[in-house]
Amino acid sequence: MITFNDVASATTEVRDQVTSRWRDVVDTSRFVGGEPVEDFERAWADFCGAHYTVGVGNGTDALHLTLRALDIGPGDEVVVPANTFVATVEAIVLAGAVPRFADVDPQTLLLTGDTLKAAATPATRAAIAVHLYGQPVDMDSVGVVAGELGIELIADSAQAHGARWKSHRIGSLARAACFSFYPGKNLGAFGDAGAVVTSDPIIVERLRSMRDHGRSTHHQHETVGTNSRMDTLQAVVLSAKLPRLDDWNTKRRTLMEHYRAHLDPAVSPPVALARGAESSHHLAVVRVAHRERVRHLLSAQGVETGVHYPSPCHLMDPYQQYCHEELPVCEAAASEILSLPMHPYLKFDDIERVCTELSTAAHEAMRE
Ligand SMILES: *Cc1c(COP(=O)(O)O)cnc(C)c1O
């Protein structure tokens, strides 16, 4: 059996360090905030090449609270690519704004300056660039168009920990970059956690208040906030894992190169990277005809795969109301994309087996 992800092996690597530091937290009984959260916030900002990190409860809140911190809400539109995890769109609706769905580049499956421009209207106040699969969006082209339109540019970096656009970490390129540390991500906690990375002190001040019931001082509440603080025990886990992240990402890159060398590009080409992009290789995504049949055949051979995502968000029940156009690139990709096993503990042998099985399955599905 070749598994799609391997969270357990990463857990084992940090297990002793985490349990010993957890014991210290338990001994102080300081379970909310405190040094472990502040230490991780500093380390993550440094890692991303930005001034600040605000730790929050999860990636969805990172996005939702960032929009609110930028005063984006009712009456405002936010451009978002339709082929993302539902949370990106959900965050826009939670903020009271309206999602404005964009199509994507047919090669990279990412938002570009052109697709952003095509989707924007006079009511557009912001765009969320999603570094899908860990593949950075062309931040130059999207940044120029956002500048021309006079709108805010936010990054959904939930799949792209450590990725770079032209040698800059993707946490440093937008007005704010939103991260999730859900266990299956490249940097994952032992539960839910998230963060916003920015160099703007005003956003930081607002987010720190909003994640903590809109507090200014202990009993003063200046805005309607929420309860979305990064959990102290999760901050300990993230600090233990962070020094390993670059190594893990390097392993993923080597594995992706091995995939590229062994995949049959005629039947299952990998999704392309934009020139200048250094991916975090969160997911190894190929395109293949008869995808469901191929998945089934692979599964029968003990190869676990995923689909990210089977339905673009503009076709989902709660979000259909916001889109009355076709988005041909997102819609065509949704039926072909297939995520192959990808994690730092995968072996070259495993990849060769996946590629052989995939080629056999793709040919078999074509014949049927
Ligand atoms: C995981 C993910 C999120 C949401 O993060 P949670 O921590 O699960 O709330 C948002 N956007 C993308 C692209 C993701 O992959």
Side-chain angles (χ1 to χ4, degrees), residues 2 11 45 63 70 74 83 171 180 226 239 245 261 275-276 283 285 299 303 311 328 342:
I2 301 179
T11 305
L63 289 159
L70 292 167
N83 63 335
S180 162
T226 187
S239 288
L245 177 59
R275 190 192 289 270
L283 297 170
V285 181
S299 162
V303 176
S311 170
M342 174 52 85

Side-chain angles (χ1 to χ4, degrees), residues 4-213:
F4 177 68
N5 199 350
D6 182 1
V7 175
S9 293
T11 305
T12 305
E13 274 196 58
V14 295
R15 186 183 184 281
D16 292 346
Q17 197 181 342
V18 167
T19 47
S20 126
R21 290 193 196 158
W22 272 7
R23 202 166 293 126
D24 297 339
V25 175
V26 170
D27 286 344
T28 63
S29 274
R30 185 150 186 214
F31 295 119
V32 173
E35 246 174 56
V37 174
E38 286 161 22
D39 288 348
F40 176 70
E41 286 180 333
R42 209 168 310 115
W44 187 242
D46 287 348
F47 180 86
C48 293
H51 291 337
Y52 311 99
T53 291
V54 181
V56 294
N58 53 70
T60 310
D61 282 350
L63 289 159
H64 157 222
L65 295 177
T66 295
L67 289 165
R68 289 189 49 202
L70 292 167
D71 276 328
I72 291 161
D76 299 330
E77 281 182 4
V78 179
V79 171
V80 61
N83 63 335
T84 181
F85 181 54
V86 67
T88 324
V89 182
E90 197 174 42
I92 297 167
V93 176
L94 284 173
V98 171
R100 175 90 192 142
F101 288 105
D103 214 348
V104 293
D105 178 83
Q107 305 300 318
T108 64
L109 303 185
L110 300 173
L111 187 74
T112 64
D114 288 341
T115 64
L116 165 57
K117 198 181 281 179
T121 75
T124 302
R125 289 267 331 274
I128 303 181
V130 183
H131 303 303
L132 194 69
Y133 313 145
Q135 313 208 145
V137 167
D138 177 341
M139 293 302 276
D140 294 336
S141 98
V142 169
V144 165
V145 171
E148 284 167 9
L149 295 168
I151 64 172
E152 299 284 1
L153 180 58
I154 298 162
D156 181 341
S157 308
Q159 300 187 357
H161 313 76
R164 288 186 171 93
W165 172 251
K166 295 192 175 161
S167 80
H168 297 285
R169 297 274 193 195
I170 46 84
S172 68
L173 293 167
R175 184 75 184 277
C178 301
F179 289 90
S180 162
F181 303 110
Y182 179 80
K185 310 284 183 179
N186 288 36
L187 181 64
F190 290 180
D192 282 305
V196 181
V197 172
T198 181
S199 291
D200 182 335
I202 296 173
I203 296 178
V204 170
E205 196 184 321
R206 290 186 176 179
L207 286 172
R208 283 189 184 142
S209 166
M210 272 193 303
R211 72 176 170 184
D212 192 22
H213 305 294

